[in-house]
Amino acid sequence: MSLTLTAILLGIVEGLTEFLPVSSTGHLILATRLFGYDASQWATFNIVIQLGAILAVIVQFWRTFWAVGMGLLKLHPASIRFVRNVLLAFIPSAVLGLLLNNYIEGLLGEPGVVAWALIIGGIAILGIEKVAKPGPLTGVSELPVGKCIGVGLAQCLAMVPGVSRSGATIMGALSMGIERRTAAEFSFFLAVPTMIGATTLELLKHHEELMAGTGPVGWGEIGIGFVVSFVVALVVIKAFMAFVSRSGFAPFAWYRIVAGALALFLLSRV
């Protein structure tokens, strides 16, 4: 399979899975390995193209970001609380990400870890869906400080590939009494600084390799994956919000369990 076609397919995988509680990074690692490539060699590509999906969030919620930006200029309390809450939730993963970066990067080449994380995460989602009792907390700017920090700590679980950043943050929010739509939106907004930070760190670490073109994946493939993931994610975000409002998260849990079991089977035969 050509590198261009692989970049397109991985861009589709990223766009489909970034904001679903099924782990985009895990799917990219598994897909890369099943396509016959060394997942560790595509780690930079897999992280950087996530910015395409993040751009989709900014486009989808541009009115919210615009309103917050204008509110900050006027020192509007709700806008200040919005930014405060997102930054508070971002800090735990930022600190741990810097401290554990080398360890985390090593896990990005372990498809077996992803498969087991998918299964365990699916079981956890089913359990949380049964016991969680979402309260009346609506709107990111209305969340109390303690719950924002709690969501940020939950996001740290997603440093293990296969756990799912969106899954960890949404389930963490639900377990703390935040209603479904607000939990999903908070996960989207939190993704912006989190993925920008992760991508910046990755580019700084591999800048010389990318500029020299000595790695297996170049800027051309990254650009293709970025555009494809942006277009696909733009469609997925709106559909996801409508789906979870009707059906909850259990379907994604069952998908994770089946996908993880299938991945273990396929990996044993590769």
Side-chain angles (χ1 to χ4, degrees), residues 16 19-22 61 125 129 134 166-167 170-171 174 178-188 236-253:
L16 283 173
F19 301 108
L20 305 183
V22 297
F61 293 97
I125 290 174
E129 276 276 79
S166 61
I170 292 172
M171 290 301 111
L174 287 180
I178 301 172
E179 58 90 26
R180 281 193 175 88
R181 187 174 186 87
T182 301
E185 288 185 353
F186 194 18
S187 177
F188 294 157
V236 168
I237 291 172
K238 184 175 291 187
F240 175 66
M241 295 296 290
F243 182 85
V244 297
S245 296
R246 297 192 312 267
S247 307
F249 298 97
F252 298 106

Side-chain angles (χ1 to χ4, degrees), residues 66-113:
W66 178 263
V68 169
M70 292 298 99
L72 285 176
L73 292 177
K74 300 174 183 178
L75 300 179
H76 194 283
S79 296
I80 293 173
R81 290 196 303 270
F82 181 97
V83 174
R84 178 203 66 190
N85 289 348
V86 172
L87 290 179
L88 283 174
F90 166 66
I91 289 172
S93 63
V95 173
L96 281 182
L98 288 172
L99 293 175
L100 303 177
N101 182 256
N102 290 334
Y103 175 72
I104 295 167
E105 194 166 82
L107 291 177
L108 294 178
E110 297 292 338
V113 172

Side-chain angles (χ1 to χ4, degrees), residues 154-180:
Q155 180 174 242
C156 293
L157 296 173
M159 292 179 184
V160 177
V163 168
S164 170
R165 190 205 59 79
S166 61
T169 53
I170 292 172
M171 290 301 111
L174 287 180
S175 65
M176 288 183 285
I178 301 172
E179 58 90 26
R180 281 193 175 88

